[in-house]
Amino acid sequence: MKRWFWTTLLGLSVVVSAKAADVDLATKLVRAQDTFQQAKSKEEYLKAAAMYQEILDAGIVNGTILYDQGNAFMKAGERGRAIACYRQAKIYHPRDPYLDANLQYALGSPAGDVAPLAQLYFWRNWIGYREIFTWMMVFGCSAFVLAMIPIFRPNTRILTRLSLVPAAATLLLAAAGAMDWYRFDYLSHGVVTATEVTARKGNADSYAPAFTKPLAEGTEFTVVDERGGWLLVQLPDGPQGWIPSRDAVIF
Amino acid sequence: MTRIGISALVIALLGVASADAQAPRLRAQVESQRVYEGEPFLYLLTLSNGAASAEPEIPVSDDFKVELVGQTQLMSSSFTVIINGVTTQSRNDQGRRYEYRLTPLRSGRLTIPAATVLVDGTKIQSQAITVEVVGPSQQDIANLEIAVDHTTVYPLQPFTVTLKIYLKALPGRFARENPVHVAWDRVLHIPWVDPEVVSPALSSPDDLNEWLGPLQRRNGWGFNINNLGSPGLFSLFGNNATTFELAAQKVKRKDASGVEASYWEYILSRSFVAKSTGELVFGPVSLKGKFAVENARDPNSSQLNVEPVYTIAPAVKVNVKDVPLAGRPETFTGAVGDFTFHADLTPRQAKVGEPMTLTLTLRGDGLLETAGAPNLEAVPAVAESFKVYEATEETKAHERIFTYSIRPENKEAQEFPAIPISYFSTAEEKYVTVYTDPLPVEISAAERLSANDIVAGGPVRKETESVEVARDGLFANMSTPATLVDERVRPEWWFGGLSAMVVTYGLASVVAARVRTRNADPEAIRRRTAVHRARQRLAGGNRRAAEDPHAAIDAYRAACLGLLADALLVDEQGLTVGDIDRLAHRLDLDVELTRRLKQFVDHCDSARFAGMMAETTPMSKEAEMLVAAMAGELKAKRKLS
């Protein structure tokens, strides 16, 4: 009886504390929204962006919060950081037209994809990262159930053939999920946040510039290497150069 | 005097004192009765036993510049006297102390007039104080000069105030020695060490530590400035007396007698920026200290005399004025200083109607924060070919950036034209207009629908204007507490789940295949169903026992022998009692069980063939017991499954 009582109490306290954490995050979000709505200066918009970052750091990473943070950075004039936020939001909400519109506004041009071999990921604008795995499991479970029944009931062998369809879909989605896993969790992407930065042929200011023009704020790249406060970046059309880490944001 | 008399006198005096102490009083004090012209000193007014309705008034005097430094609330105090067991208490009520900085403007014996203050409608007056103000001495050993590079400036235009100190070179063989390389007191008083002393709207880009820190010395060389570093004064330079060695060079200038002599020139400069219009007064600056001079009695002596010197430099004024209205061009948007203007446009190639981003950067030194974005639509070439949206503005170090979203409205534009902006040049003191470089662009026609794409039909409708979605600007935030869901993906968990399903399916398939294979073997089937079949025979025999006892006995016999035959996979037809030993031996059956089985089969044969009548019921029970015993033993020995 005593053990039952204490176990129940412990479980309730876990639930209550979880709920308290939810309320705490909701309160933070409301404050962040209020700060954004009432902001009039760059510093106030940056403060709102920092409040959204607190929510992200608390483990709530989702496209909507990233989108709002991107808006705060745009209002604060930090175009590079805004682009980084919008790109991260697109991982989760690739079909969101408002996100697309804001990203396009930040880029000043239609939002293309900057990842290498981006055309390989033909689904990137239709289905989000989480959705790929959700559908993979849906088809996978269907194939599993359809394939397991004939094992116990031999007169239902037609179901084995039927299970090939969801199994094929599962395989395709698993391949897409693996490619996205590589793209989002293995490759690092970045955006230039300085007004302009000169990319160099080596990781020091003593090296000659790598390109004929400096890279402007908002230039997107993928990170190839990182050394001693410098990043080796690759631009969408292929060329590479080194830039100081402080002049970019990585995600 | 009697003891009583003394007590009465003390009590009376205390009574008078306490009564007197209760009346409001304003008392004036100075930190020194001997002060120096141009050098501020502390003047205190203490109001006790009353609360003033306003600050005390000090009559305006041409002899002193008066500045209120601060005021302090005084706590009440009381004292107790016990005489001959009689306790007397007296107390002062709360008061206030006012601190002023007075700067004498001339030398001589000067009187600080009495200050007055209103307490509960009654005017209370302090005492006047006379001080001896020492003026600068007539000498040519040390001289000061204050200079400014601009006597008229504009807000946020930097200007420099320079103090030059001239010390006569030491005589004789000491001529090459720097006079400040002697650890004697030389105190400079410079008002603009703290810019706010000059004006609250004045600031310096360097803080005190950056300005004087590199000049600091601990060996007594140089000048003491404003007593920085003296014990008891809060100082960035620590609590030890410190001096500052200024940059020095030897120059020639005329001394008091008009003869050119060698002097050491020391220079101390500081830059300032005024934030608002008005007049700024820098100075006066005073220097007092001891300086080595020639021994007048014996000029060839190796010993020098020491002479105290006090000298001041009169103040200089700087006028901060607003930029003129006259001649202000329309392209002036508020910048004051000296600037260059740059433009950038991305992309350079676009179709009609597509967005482009124009960035204009005003770069240089001066007042930038209030500069507004240029009006692009005032440029005819822009208005003809581009639609311009509202600009965003941003200020960074020495840059003001204006960002516009624009759209080409036709393909005629070959370049984006130069954009003008005007600023007020503080160097030239006039308005200057600068232009960006024109930017080549390539505008192509927007895509059009062909005639085949247009489906005709229905009544002709009047054309209505279609609403175009604006591409610029941001869409609103979207997050709500309901959207606080972690959308992160952990692919390893998803792939792990999928792998678990695949493995489960694989294992189930293998097991099922093995089971099916096993179940398809006839011998395995026979063994698996042997006991069931024996029981079925027993049940059949029991059913027929009443009608056909012989058939029942045959069934019981077949059940037992059939079980043996199934276990060994032999033909049960033709098995007799004589075969039981052989079969039992192969099956390693229990000896007693074998004997009972033989006895039962023999009994069945006798009943069936020898015409002996037998009760089927006990035979049925015996048969059931034998079948159960054999089944248990054969299963234990894995002869049956």
Side-chain angles (χ1 to χ4, degrees):
Chain A
M1 181 66 178
K2 205 174 178 179
R3 186 182 296 175
W4 175 86
F5 171 75
W6 287 111
T7 306
T8 307
L9 189 64
L10 179 66
L12 277 174
S13 64
V14 168
V15 170
V16 167
S17 64
K19 284 295 174 191
D22 289 344
V23 170
D24 181 49
L25 284 173
T27 307
K28 279 187 181 172
L29 177 63
V30 169
R31 283 199 196 125
Q33 294 286 47
D34 286 344
T35 304
F36 180 89
Q37 294 293 344
Q38 293 163 16
K40 289 186 171 48
S41 68
K42 173 177 178 170
E43 286 70 28
E44 288 171 2
Y45 281 116
L46 285 177
K47 185 178 171 186
M51 294 169 90
Y52 287 121
Q53 187 61 44
E54 278 184 30
I55 297 172
L56 294 167
D57 290 342
I60 304 297
V61 177
N62 75 35
T64 314
I65 300 291
L66 286 163
Y67 167 87
D68 287 357
Q69 189 185 40
N71 284 356
F73 278 127
M74 267 308 279
K75 288 284 197 179
E78 296 278 340
R79 204 162 64 89
R81 292 184 195 283
I83 292 169
C85 288
Y86 291 144
R87 283 290 184 199
Q88 290 177 84
K90 268 189 84 67
I91 293 173
Y92 305 105
H93 299 173
R95 300 182 298 276
D96 189 336
Y98 301 119
L99 173 57
D100 257 347
N102 285 9
L103 175 58
Q104 182 171 342
Y105 179 64
L107 290 169
S109 61
D113 205 302
V114 297
L117 304 175
Q119 301 311 318
L120 271 182
Y121 304 92
F122 58 86
W123 60 86
R124 63 191 183 281
N125 293 324
W126 308 332
I127 185 167
Y129 192 27
R130 191 182 185 86
E131 287 169 331
I132 285 183
F133 288 97
T134 304
W135 282 108
M136 180 188 80
M137 284 307 283
V138 167
F139 283 114
C141 288
S142 304
F144 178 73
V145 168
L146 289 174
M148 285 294 280
I149 291 174
I151 290 177
F152 302 101
R153 294 190 183 283
N155 57 347
T156 56
R157 290 201 183 280
I158 182 92
L159 294 180
T160 305
R161 293 201 183 94
L162 274 178
S163 71
L164 291 176
V165 173
T170 304
L171 273 176
L172 285 172
L173 288 166
M179 290 169 78
D180 272 351
W181 190 10
Y182 169 79
R183 186 157 70 107
F184 298 136
D185 293 346
Y186 183 75
L187 282 185
S188 289
H189 305 269
V191 184
V192 173
T193 53
T195 307
E196 54 180 41
V197 60
T198 301
R200 298 194 178 271
K201 293 187 177 178
N203 55 331
D205 287 320
S206 54
Y207 287 93
F211 310 129
T212 54
K213 284 197 321 179
L215 301 178
E217 183 184 9
T219 302
E220 297 181 87
F221 54 81
T222 48
V223 178
V224 178
D225 195 3
E226 185 174 355
R227 262 187 236 167
W230 286 75
L231 301 169
L232 177 60
V233 303
Q234 180 170 347
L235 300 183
D237 41 355
Q240 296 182 354
W242 290 89
I243 63 170
S245 308
R246 63 175 182 274
D247 290 334
V249 62
I250 308 298
F251 56 93
Chain B
M1 236 179 174
T2 64
R3 189 179 294 174
I4 293 172
I6 292 169
S7 302
L9 182 62
V10 169
I11 290 167
L13 285 172
L14 284 174
V16 169
S18 71
D20 188 38
Q22 299 305 316
R25 199 165 62 132
L26 186 64
R27 185 173 159 224
Q29 295 165 279
V30 290
E31 67 173 304
S32 173
Q33 299 284 147
R34 183 182 166 84
V35 295
Y36 290 86
E37 180 185 345
E39 199 170 283
F41 61 94
L42 199 60
Y43 175 71
L44 291 177
L45 286 175
T46 306
L47 172 66
S48 48
N49 305 327
S53 52
E55 286 172 14
E57 283 183 20
I58 301 173
V60 173
S61 166
D62 291 336
D63 296 336
F64 298 97
K65 179 175 139 190
V66 180
E67 294 166 285
L68 176 67
V69 174
Q71 48 184 295
T72 316
Q73 186 70 27
L74 296 178
M75 302 306 291
S76 62
S77 64
S78 63
F79 58 92
T80 304
V81 175
I82 303 173
I83 300 177
N84 294 335
V86 177
T87 302
T88 307
Q89 281 193 324
S90 181
R91 55 178 283 133
N92 291 326
D93 283 340
Q94 293 179 346
R96 205 157 188 88
R97 174 175 294 147
Y98 301 88
E99 297 175 6
Y100 297 86
R101 186 163 41 224
L102 262 59
T103 305
L105 301 178
R106 63 181 181 88
S107 56
R109 196 169 172 78
L110 305 179
T111 300
I112 305 170
T116 56
V117 68
L118 272 179
V119 177
D120 295 331
T122 306
K123 195 180 264 190
I124 310 297
Q125 197 174 47
S126 71
Q127 80 282 22
I129 298 180
T130 301
V131 293
E132 185 76 35
V133 180
V134 178
S137 47
Q138 294 297 321
Q139 44 78 35
D140 62 359
I141 299 167
N143 291 294
L144 301 176
E145 287 177 8
I146 306 173
V148 290
D149 59 350
H150 295 91
T151 53
T152 302
V153 295
Y154 298 92
L156 295 185
Q157 177 189 1
F159 61 94
T160 303
V161 179
T162 302
L163 172 67
K164 292 183 182 175
I165 307 163
Y166 296 96
L167 298 184
K168 200 168 190 179
L170 298 173
R173 60 193 178 88
F174 302 106
R176 287 186 183 176
E177 296 294 328
N178 192 330
V180 302
H181 285 181
V182 178
W184 288 339
D185 281 341
R186 287 171 293 273
V187 182
L188 272 170
H189 179 78
I190 307 173
W192 62 84
V193 167
D194 180 2
E196 287 225 352
V197 168
V198 178
S199 166
L202 188 67
S203 68
S204 177
D206 299 327
D207 69 13
L208 195 59
N209 209 18
E210 285 174 356
W211 178 42
L212 292 180
L215 308 176
Q216 187 184 0
R217 299 289 180 268
R218 294 279 184 207
N219 55 5
W221 289 9
F223 301 89
N224 180 309
I225 297 178
N226 288 22
N227 287 319
L228 287 170
S230 295
L233 285 176
F234 174 73
S235 170
L236 291 171
F237 303 99
N239 283 331
N240 300 319
T242 191
T243 54
F244 299 91
E245 188 177 359
L246 311 183
Q249 61 177 356
K250 277 187 97 169
V251 297
K252 292 283 189 188
R253 59 185 271 138
K254 290 184 179 169
D255 61 13
S257 58
V259 175
E260 278 223 337
S262 288
Y263 279 80
W264 287 82
E265 182 188 60
Y266 304 88
I267 295 176
L268 184 65
S269 296
R270 195 173 190 192
S271 295
F272 296 95
V273 164
K275 296 174 193 167
S276 59
T277 56
E279 187 179 78
L280 303 169
V281 178
F282 293 89
V285 172
S286 66
L287 169 64
K288 66 174 186 272
K290 295 176 185 172
F291 297 89
V293 295
E294 190 178 38
N295 189 334
R297 290 182 186 175
D298 183 6
N300 294 321
S301 168
S302 61
Q303 291 197 342
L304 300 174
N305 284 352
V306 176
E307 191 167 315
V309 169
Y310 175 69
T311 184
I312 62 173
V316 296
K317 293 180 184 175
V318 175
N319 187 24
V320 185
K321 64 179 188 183
D322 206 352
V323 294
L325 282 173
R328 185 179 291 188
E330 284 188 4
T331 50
F332 174 74
T333 61
V336 177
D338 192 18
F339 307 101
T340 57
F341 199 35
H342 309 271
D344 190 22
L345 183 65
T346 54
R348 296 291 180 95
Q349 296 173 341
K351 293 193 170 88
V352 171
E354 284 186 349
M356 305 169 86
T357 302
L358 173 70
T359 307
L360 301 178
T361 306
L362 186 65
R363 194 174 288 142
D365 292 320
L367 178 60
L368 270 173
E369 287 84 4
T370 55
N375 181 12
L376 297 188
E377 294 187 342
V379 179
V382 173
E384 280 168 13
S385 299
F386 295 91
K387 183 164 175 57
V388 179
Y389 298 90
E390 192 178 339
T392 60
E393 301 172 1
E394 182 186 358
T395 304
K396 293 187 177 178
H398 302 289
E399 281 184 350
R400 182 85 168 144
I401 300 169
F402 310 105
T403 307
Y404 301 78
S405 183
I406 63 173
R407 289 175 189 271
E409 290 187 317
N410 53 62
K411 56 181 184 152
E412 272 72 41
Q414 304 286 321
E415 68 174 20
F416 190 82
I419 303 298
I421 193 168
S422 299
Y423 62 88
F424 186 80
S425 170
T426 50
E428 299 174 55
E429 296 203 31
K430 63 177 185 179
Y431 288 98
V432 173
T433 300
V434 289
Y435 293 82
T436 62
D437 293 330
L439 304 171
V441 294
E442 205 174 297
I443 309 296
S444 53
E447 288 175 0
R448 288 178 178 272
L449 292 174
S450 67
N452 291 335
D453 296 328
I454 301 172
V455 178
V460 175
R461 294 185 185 184
K462 190 178 174 184
E463 272 192 21
T464 55
E465 279 188 22
S466 60
V467 177
E468 184 186 326
V469 174
R471 298 285 180 95
D472 56 325
L474 294 174
F475 283 98
N477 285 8
M478 292 191 290
S479 59
T480 64
T483 60
L484 281 174
V485 174
D486 188 6
E487 292 178 339
R488 280 180 297 180
V489 178
R490 290 167 179 80
E492 56 274 10
W493 293 3
W494 294 92
F495 285 125
L498 188 64
S499 302
M501 282 197 290
V502 170
V503 167
T504 303
Y505 173 74
L507 284 174
S509 298
V510 167
V511 167
R514 290 187 71 174
V515 166
R516 271 198 297 274
T517 303
R518 190 180 64 130
N519 290 349
D521 181 7
E523 290 180 355
I525 293 171
R526 185 179 173 185
R527 281 202 170 103
R528 195 165 59 243
T529 57
V531 176
H532 177 70
R533 194 165 38 253
R535 289 200 173 116
Q536 276 187 328
R537 281 174 170 171
L538 288 175
N542 291 337
R543 279 195 299 272
R544 299 176 69 182
E547 312 158 352
D548 189 350
H550 288 159
I553 291 168
D554 284 342
Y556 300 146
R557 183 179 183 278
C560 295
L561 286 179
L563 189 60
L564 277 183
D566 285 343
L568 288 168
L569 299 174
V570 298
D571 188 3
E572 67 177 87
Q573 295 295 328
L575 285 179
T576 62
V577 173
D579 296 317
I580 291 176
D581 278 329
R582 179 174 52 84
L583 296 178
H585 178 73
R586 280 175 66 182
L587 289 170
D588 194 24
L589 274 182
D590 179 63
V591 170
E592 178 58 24
L593 180 60
T594 306
R595 187 192 65 75
R596 281 173 61 192
L597 179 62
K598 282 168 60 178
Q599 189 176 21
F600 177 75
V601 171
D602 190 47
H603 190 192
C604 287
D605 289 342
S606 302
R608 180 73 176 82
F609 300 110
M612 292 173 64
M613 291 306 296
E615 289 290 329
T616 56
T617 302
M619 290 185 76
S620 168
K621 284 183 180 169
E622 179 65 14
E624 279 176 18
M625 282 193 318
L626 285 170
V627 165
M630 282 196 293
E633 192 169 326
L634 289 172
K635 282 184 180 179
K637 289 185 167 111
R638 295 183 181 272
K639 303 295 182 185
L640 290 176
S641 55

Short mmCIF file of all heavy atoms in Angstrom, two decimals, chain B residues 142-168:
data_model
loop_
_atom_site.label_atom_id
_atom_site.label_comp_id
_atom_site.label_asym_id
_atom_site.label_seq_id
_atom_site.Cartn_x
_atom_site.Cartn_y
_atom_site.Cartn_z
N ALA B 142 56.89 79.47 -16.39
CA ALA B 142 55.87 78.52 -16.87
C ALA B 142 54.71 79.30 -17.47
O ALA B 142 54.25 80.27 -16.86
CB ALA B 142 55.38 77.64 -15.73
N ASN B 143 54.28 78.91 -18.64
CA ASN B 143 53.14 79.54 -19.31
C ASN B 143 52.21 78.47 -19.87
O ASN B 143 52.66 77.39 -20.22
CB ASN B 143 53.62 80.44 -20.45
CG ASN B 143 54.34 81.66 -19.93
OD1 ASN B 143 53.74 82.51 -19.27
ND2 ASN B 143 55.64 81.73 -20.17
N LEU B 144 50.94 78.85 -19.94
CA LEU B 144 49.93 77.92 -20.46
C LEU B 144 49.19 78.57 -21.60
O LEU B 144 48.95 79.78 -21.57
CB LEU B 144 48.92 77.56 -19.37
CG LEU B 144 49.46 76.91 -18.09
CD1 LEU B 144 48.31 76.72 -17.09
CD2 LEU B 144 50.10 75.58 -18.39
N GLU B 145 48.81 77.75 -22.57
CA GLU B 145 47.97 78.23 -23.66
C GLU B 145 46.93 77.14 -23.97
O GLU B 145 47.25 75.96 -23.99
CB GLU B 145 48.79 78.50 -24.93
CG GLU B 145 49.66 79.73 -24.84
CD GLU B 145 50.50 79.90 -26.10
OE1 GLU B 145 50.28 79.14 -27.09
OE2 GLU B 145 51.38 80.77 -26.09
N ILE B 146 45.70 77.57 -24.22
CA ILE B 146 44.66 76.63 -24.65
C ILE B 146 44.30 77.00 -26.08
O ILE B 146 44.11 78.19 -26.38
CB ILE B 146 43.40 76.74 -23.78
CG1 ILE B 146 43.74 76.58 -22.30
CG2 ILE B 146 42.38 75.68 -24.18
CD1 ILE B 146 42.56 76.85 -21.38
N ALA B 147 44.21 75.98 -26.94
CA ALA B 147 43.83 76.22 -28.33
C ALA B 147 42.82 75.17 -28.77
O ALA B 147 42.83 74.04 -28.27
CB ALA B 147 45.08 76.17 -29.22
N VAL B 148 41.95 75.57 -29.68
CA VAL B 148 41.01 74.61 -30.28
C VAL B 148 41.19 74.68 -31.78
O VAL B 148 41.52 75.74 -32.33
CB VAL B 148 39.54 74.91 -29.92
CG1 VAL B 148 39.26 74.61 -28.48
CG2 VAL B 148 39.16 76.35 -30.24
N ASP B 149 40.99 73.55 -32.47
CA ASP B 149 41.19 73.55 -33.92
C ASP B 149 39.97 74.13 -34.64
O ASP B 149 40.08 74.51 -35.79
CB ASP B 149 41.52 72.12 -34.41
CG ASP B 149 40.43 71.11 -34.08
OD1 ASP B 149 39.50 71.44 -33.30
OD2 ASP B 149 40.52 69.97 -34.57
N HIS B 150 38.84 74.16 -33.98
CA HIS B 150 37.65 74.77 -34.57
C HIS B 150 36.98 75.59 -33.48
O HIS B 150 36.65 75.05 -32.43
CB HIS B 150 36.66 73.73 -35.08
CG HIS B 150 37.16 72.90 -36.23
ND1 HIS B 150 37.81 71.71 -36.04
CD2 HIS B 150 37.13 73.11 -37.56
CE1 HIS B 150 38.13 71.21 -37.21
NE2 HIS B 150 37.75 72.04 -38.16
N THR B 151 36.75 76.84 -33.72
CA THR B 151 36.02 77.64 -32.72
C THR B 151 34.52 77.57 -32.98
O THR B 151 33.72 77.92 -32.13
CB THR B 151 36.46 79.12 -32.78
OG1 THR B 151 36.33 79.58 -34.13
CG2 THR B 151 37.90 79.26 -32.30
N THR B 152 34.18 77.12 -34.17
CA THR B 152 32.77 76.91 -34.49
C THR B 152 32.63 75.50 -35.08
O THR B 152 33.35 75.15 -36.01
CB THR B 152 32.28 77.94 -35.53
OG1 THR B 152 32.50 79.25 -35.01
CG2 THR B 152 30.80 77.74 -35.80
N VAL B 153 31.76 74.72 -34.50
CA VAL B 153 31.56 73.34 -34.99
C VAL B 153 30.07 73.09 -35.09
O VAL B 153 29.24 73.89 -34.62
CB VAL B 153 32.22 72.30 -34.06
CG1 VAL B 153 33.73 72.45 -34.04
CG2 VAL B 153 31.64 72.39 -32.66
N TYR B 154 29.77 71.92 -35.65
CA TYR B 154 28.39 71.48 -35.77
C TYR B 154 28.18 70.26 -34.87
O TYR B 154 29.15 69.60 -34.48
CB TYR B 154 28.05 71.14 -37.22
CG TYR B 154 28.19 72.34 -38.12
CD1 TYR B 154 29.39 72.61 -38.78
CD2 TYR B 154 27.14 73.24 -38.27
CE1 TYR B 154 29.53 73.74 -39.55
CE2 TYR B 154 27.28 74.36 -39.05
CZ TYR B 154 28.48 74.61 -39.68
OH TYR B 154 28.60 75.73 -40.45
N PRO B 155 26.96 69.95 -34.51
CA PRO B 155 26.75 68.80 -33.63
C PRO B 155 27.39 67.54 -34.21
O PRO B 155 27.30 67.27 -35.40
CB PRO B 155 25.22 68.67 -33.57
CG PRO B 155 24.72 70.04 -33.84
CD PRO B 155 25.69 70.66 -34.80
N LEU B 156 28.05 66.81 -33.33
CA LEU B 156 28.75 65.56 -33.64
C LEU B 156 29.96 65.76 -34.56
O LEU B 156 30.54 64.78 -34.99
CB LEU B 156 27.79 64.52 -34.24
CG LEU B 156 26.69 64.04 -33.27
CD1 LEU B 156 25.87 62.94 -33.89
CD2 LEU B 156 27.29 63.54 -31.98
N GLN B 157 30.32 66.99 -34.84
CA GLN B 157 31.57 67.22 -35.56
C GLN B 157 32.69 67.18 -34.54
O GLN B 157 32.68 67.93 -33.56
CB GLN B 157 31.54 68.57 -36.26
CG GLN B 157 32.85 68.89 -36.96
CD GLN B 157 32.91 70.30 -37.48
OE1 GLN B 157 31.96 71.06 -37.30
NE2 GLN B 157 34.00 70.67 -38.13
N PRO B 158 33.66 66.32 -34.71
CA PRO B 158 34.73 66.26 -33.71
C PRO B 158 35.62 67.50 -33.78
O PRO B 158 35.82 68.08 -34.85
CB PRO B 158 35.51 65.00 -34.09
CG PRO B 158 35.07 64.63 -35.45
CD PRO B 158 33.79 65.31 -35.76
N PHE B 159 36.10 67.91 -32.62
CA PHE B 159 37.08 68.99 -32.55
C PHE B 159 38.07 68.66 -31.43
O PHE B 159 37.79 67.82 -30.58
CB PHE B 159 36.40 70.34 -32.31
CG PHE B 159 35.63 70.43 -31.02
CD1 PHE B 159 36.22 70.95 -29.87
CD2 PHE B 159 34.32 70.00 -30.94
CE1 PHE B 159 35.52 71.03 -28.68
CE2 PHE B 159 33.62 70.08 -29.76
CZ PHE B 159 34.21 70.59 -28.63
N THR B 160 39.20 69.33 -31.47
CA THR B 160 40.28 68.99 -30.54
C THR B 160 40.66 70.22 -29.72
O THR B 160 40.81 71.32 -30.25
CB THR B 160 41.51 68.51 -31.31
OG1 THR B 160 41.13 67.38 -32.11
CG2 THR B 160 42.62 68.06 -30.35
N VAL B 161 40.77 69.97 -28.43
CA VAL B 161 41.24 71.03 -27.52
C VAL B 161 42.66 70.67 -27.11
O VAL B 161 42.93 69.54 -26.69
CB VAL B 161 40.34 71.11 -26.27
CG1 VAL B 161 40.86 72.20 -25.33
CG2 VAL B 161 38.90 71.40 -26.67
N THR B 162 43.57 71.62 -27.27
CA THR B 162 44.98 71.36 -26.99
C THR B 162 45.47 72.31 -25.91
O THR B 162 45.28 73.54 -26.01
CB THR B 162 45.83 71.56 -28.26
OG1 THR B 162 45.35 70.68 -29.27
CG2 THR B 162 47.30 71.25 -27.98
N LEU B 163 46.07 71.72 -24.91
CA LEU B 163 46.73 72.52 -23.87
C LEU B 163 48.23 72.47 -24.13
O LEU B 163 48.80 71.38 -24.27
CB LEU B 163 46.42 71.94 -22.49
CG LEU B 163 47.20 72.55 -21.33
CD1 LEU B 163 46.78 74.01 -21.12
CD2 LEU B 163 46.99 71.75 -20.05
N LYS B 164 48.83 73.64 -24.20
CA LYS B 164 50.29 73.71 -24.38
C LYS B 164 50.89 74.33 -23.13
O LYS B 164 50.42 75.38 -22.66
CB LYS B 164 50.65 74.56 -25.59
CG LYS B 164 50.25 73.91 -26.91
CD LYS B 164 50.70 74.75 -28.09
CE LYS B 164 50.26 74.12 -29.40
NZ LYS B 164 50.58 74.95 -30.56
N ILE B 165 51.88 73.66 -22.61
CA ILE B 165 52.57 74.13 -21.41
C ILE B 165 54.01 74.45 -21.81
O ILE B 165 54.67 73.62 -22.44
CB ILE B 165 52.55 73.05 -20.31
CG1 ILE B 165 51.11 72.58 -20.06
CG2 ILE B 165 53.22 73.55 -19.03
CD1 ILE B 165 51.02 71.29 -19.32
N TYR B 166 54.44 75.62 -21.45
CA TYR B 166 55.83 76.02 -21.77
C TYR B 166 56.60 76.19 -20.47
O TYR B 166 56.20 76.98 -19.60
CB TYR B 166 55.85 77.33 -22.55
CG TYR B 166 55.20 77.21 -23.91
CD1 TYR B 166 53.87 77.57 -24.11
CD2 TYR B 166 55.93 76.73 -25.01
CE1 TYR B 166 53.28 77.44 -25.34
CE2 TYR B 166 55.33 76.59 -26.25
CZ TYR B 166 54.00 76.97 -26.41
OH TYR B 166 53.42 76.85 -27.64
N LEU B 167 57.63 75.40 -20.32
CA LEU B 167 58.51 75.53 -19.15
C LEU B 167 59.89 75.96 -19.64
O LEU B 167 60.45 75.38 -20.56
CB LEU B 167 58.63 74.21 -18.40
CG LEU B 167 57.35 73.62 -17.79
CD1 LEU B 167 57.68 72.36 -17.01
CD2 LEU B 167 56.67 74.63 -16.89
N LYS B 168 60.40 77.00 -18.97
CA LYS B 168 61.70 77.51 -19.38
C LYS B 168 62.75 76.45 -19.13
O LYS B 168 62.72 75.75 -18.10
CB LYS B 168 62.02 78.78 -18.59
CG LYS B 168 63.09 79.65 -19.23
CD LYS B 168 63.13 81.01 -18.55
CE LYS B 168 64.02 81.96 -19.33
NZ LYS B 168 64.08 83.28 -18.73
#
